[in-house]
Amino acid sequence: MSSPNQGLYSLATIIKRLEAVVSRLEDVEDTRYEAHSARQSTSTVTSVTAAQLAATPSPPPPPPPPPPPPPPAIVVQPVTPPSVQAFDAIVIDAKLKPLVELTKAFTPQFLVDQVNLFAQELDVLRDLLLMAAACKKPDQKTFGELLNPLQVLIEAVTRAKEANRKERAWFNHLSVVAEGAVCVGWVTLEPKPGQYVNEIKESTAFYSNRVLKEFKEKDARHAEWACDFLGIIDEMKRYIMENHPTGLVWNSSGVPVSEYKAPSSSDATPPPPPPPLAGVPPASAPAAGGVAAVFADLNRGEDVTKGLRKVDKSEMTHKNPTLRAGSVVPASTPSAAAKKPVKPTKPQALVGKKPSKFALEGSKWIVEYQEDQPALEVTNVELSQTVNLFGCKNTTVLIKGKVNAVTLINCTKTSVLVESVISSVSITKSPSFALQITGSAPTIQVDSTDSGQIYLSK
């Protein structure tokens, strides 16, 4: 049996442990009460907020966002064929544009206009190269129609030269452009178009050398201009040898020419139109009377004097004192009015016959005043030479070989047989002429001639 001290110790220990347990239970109870209070407060706030939201009317829904913009359209730029890119780089950009700018810098307007025509010619050639890169080779008739714009511009360049022939200081410049303008004709030749361009360069160099010689020590810009123009022909030949060595190359797998659509060139600046040719302006309608009628008569030019008559001596006041005394000149008699001056004509028997001439002067064959010559031969000709016929009658001239140009002026019943001409054949005031070309000639010009015959080879 345990002692009383041990029992008290055990009882005290139990009491302490019970107190610790009670304290622990109180802590647990306090913690649970705080958690319950927090949950109740949250539930109250939530219920109040829900009630307020239910009592408040809901705002209208926002409008739907606008649809996104469509993606930008993809513009497909036409792809320039490599052959046309080479033409732009070699001929247009490298040579033609500097020449045009130099021409505008110091030359007169008529030469600027002629060079602009030449620039348009190369633009038309570029369009033809674009078509050839996309189309099959057309038949001969269709191809001839495609060449019409080139032919029109070549003739315009030649007319610009002839219209300014009186400008002697610039005539060699005009001749350089006119001779070189036919270089675009290589598109019609097979199988050696480069050789043709080389011949054109030789004929052009004939006049460019004159420019160099005349202005070598006067103005260096003229020499630079002549060299730049020859540079275009040189680069044209290089372009041909690199891209079309045997002739204009067509696309064997392309579309027919009738279905071809040229690429849009809205961004490109159109070439200026050809300058208007000099001509007589249309006469305006005569005014009813007054000062306007006077100016209308003056604008008639030489025709204004057609209605005048010769004044008879009896009507001249400085020879008749009686007329000076009066203020009115009496009307003329019918005999005086019908009297007209007649220009005396020289009898045919007294008309002197000018001496004939047939000689080579420099690079010109001079054939003048030849009559009744059935077969006059011009032999051993060169590419830089020209044949000029003037005042011939009933004569046949045979030109054996290729020459630069042939000219007929004031010839009657004259026949010319020539093999090939590099530049042009010009016929002026030569009725009843006959021209036969067995080879080729890019241009034949007939002015002020009422009759004639031209024979061309196929």
Side-chain angles (χ1 to χ4, degrees):
M1 183 172 181
S2 59
S3 64
N5 293 332
Q6 291 181 343
L8 292 173
Y9 176 78
S10 299
L11 181 61
T13 302
I14 292 172
I15 292 173
K16 289 181 180 180
R17 294 184 65 182
L18 289 174
E19 289 177 354
V21 170
V22 171
S23 177
R24 180 71 179 271
L25 290 174
E26 289 176 353
D27 294 339
V28 171
E29 185 66 20
D30 291 341
T31 302
R32 291 179 60 189
Y33 177 78
E34 292 175 359
H36 177 72
S37 299
R39 284 196 300 269
Q40 186 176 3
S41 175
T42 303
S43 176
T44 304
V45 174
T46 303
S47 61
V48 173
T49 303
Q52 291 176 351
L53 291 177
T56 304
S58 59
I74 300 176
V75 179
V76 180
Q77 297 292 340
V79 179
T80 304
S83 60
V84 181
Q85 293 180 7
F87 183 78
D88 291 340
I90 296 175
V91 179
I92 300 295
D93 296 335
K95 294 297 179 180
L96 177 62
K97 291 183 178 180
L99 175 73
V100 173
E101 294 301 323
L102 179 60
T103 305
K104 293 178 180 179
F106 76 101
T107 66
Q109 185 61 39
F110 58 83
L111 184 58
V112 174
D113 294 338
Q114 189 191 33
V115 172
N116 286 336
L117 288 173
F118 177 67
Q120 293 182 45
E121 191 179 315
L122 295 188
D123 287 338
V124 174
L125 175 61
R126 183 185 185 277
D127 294 339
L128 183 60
L129 296 176
L130 272 174
M131 180 182 295
C135 301
K136 298 178 182 178
K137 185 175 182 179
D139 55 36
Q140 196 65 25
K141 180 180 179 181
T142 304
F143 187 51
E145 295 175 355
L146 298 177
L147 295 177
N148 284 337
L150 281 177
Q151 183 178 359
V152 170
L153 287 170
I154 291 175
E155 293 174 356
V157 172
T158 303
R159 286 198 301 270
K161 165 194 168 184
E162 298 299 331
N164 297 281
R165 183 177 287 272
K166 62 181 180 180
E167 304 290 344
R168 304 305 303 175
W170 297 92
F171 188 70
N172 287 327
H173 300 72
L174 295 166
S175 299
V176 167
V177 181
E179 294 295 328
V182 296
C183 66
V184 297
W186 67 266
V187 295
T188 64
L189 298 178
E190 293 178 353
K192 295 181 178 181
Q195 182 178 356
Y196 167 79
V197 176
N198 193 53
E199 294 175 356
I200 298 301
K201 179 190 174 183
E202 293 177 358
S203 63
T204 306
F206 175 75
Y207 293 99
S208 66
N209 289 338
R210 289 185 173 184
V211 176
L212 294 173
K213 181 179 179 181
E214 182 178 357
F215 295 95
K216 182 178 181 180
E217 299 179 356
K218 297 179 181 179
D219 192 342
R221 293 178 297 179
H222 294 263
E224 181 184 358
W225 182 90
C227 294
D228 285 354
F229 193 92
L230 284 181
I232 293 178
I233 302 180
D234 285 334
E235 294 303 295
M236 180 80 74
K237 180 182 178 181
R238 179 166 77 91
Y239 167 77
I240 294 170
M241 301 308 296
E242 293 177 359
N243 297 273
H244 307 273
T246 58
L248 182 60
V249 178
W250 295 82
N251 189 348
S252 58
S253 59
V255 299
V257 172
S258 58
E259 301 177 5
Y260 172 74
K261 183 178 180 181
S264 175
S265 58
S266 58
D267 296 336
T269 303
L277 298 178
V280 180
S284 58
V291 179
V294 175
F295 283 106
D297 287 337
L298 292 177
N299 289 332
R300 291 166 54 192
E302 295 180 356
D303 293 341
V304 72
T305 60
K306 286 186 177 181
L308 302 180
R309 64 178 178 84
K310 182 175 177 63
V311 179
D312 190 74
K313 292 182 179 180
S314 61
E315 300 173 334
M316 299 179 181
T317 56
H318 66 284
K319 291 188 177 182
N320 294 277
T322 56
L323 295 179
R324 290 198 296 269
S327 60
V328 179
V329 178
S332 61
T333 61
S335 60
K339 189 176 181 181
K340 295 182 179 180
V342 179
K343 184 179 179 180
T345 58
K346 197 171 184 178
Q348 188 67 25
L350 299 180
V351 176
K353 184 178 180 181
K354 296 184 179 181
S356 60
K357 185 176 182 179
F358 179 47
L360 174 62
E361 296 181 355
S363 61
K364 296 182 179 180
W365 285 93
I366 307 299
V367 184
E368 295 181 349
Y369 305 111
Q370 299 288 338
E371 293 187 9
D372 302 322
Q373 295 290 338
L376 193 61
E377 294 186 1
V378 181
T379 58
N380 299 325
V381 296
E382 298 179 359
L383 296 177
S384 61
Q385 295 177 348
T386 61
V387 180
N388 300 327
L389 285 74
F390 182 84
C392 298
K393 186 176 181 181
N394 296 327
T395 298
T396 301
V397 179
L398 308 177
I399 304 174
K400 296 185 176 181
K402 180 182 290 188
V403 295
N404 186 16
V406 178
T407 303
L408 278 78
I409 301 177
N410 292 337
C411 296
T412 304
K413 294 182 179 180
T414 300
S415 303
V416 177
L417 174 63
V418 60
E419 293 183 5
S420 293
V421 179
I422 296 176
S423 177
S424 63
V425 179
S426 177
I427 302 170
T428 306
K429 297 181 181 180
S430 300
S432 303
F433 74 92
L435 172 66
Q436 181 176 358
I437 301 175
T438 59
S440 62
T443 305
I444 300 176
Q445 183 176 353
V446 182
D447 291 331
S448 304
T449 302
D450 57 1
S451 62
Q453 296 178 337
I454 299 176
Y455 303 91
L456 302 176
S457 60
K458 293 184 179 179

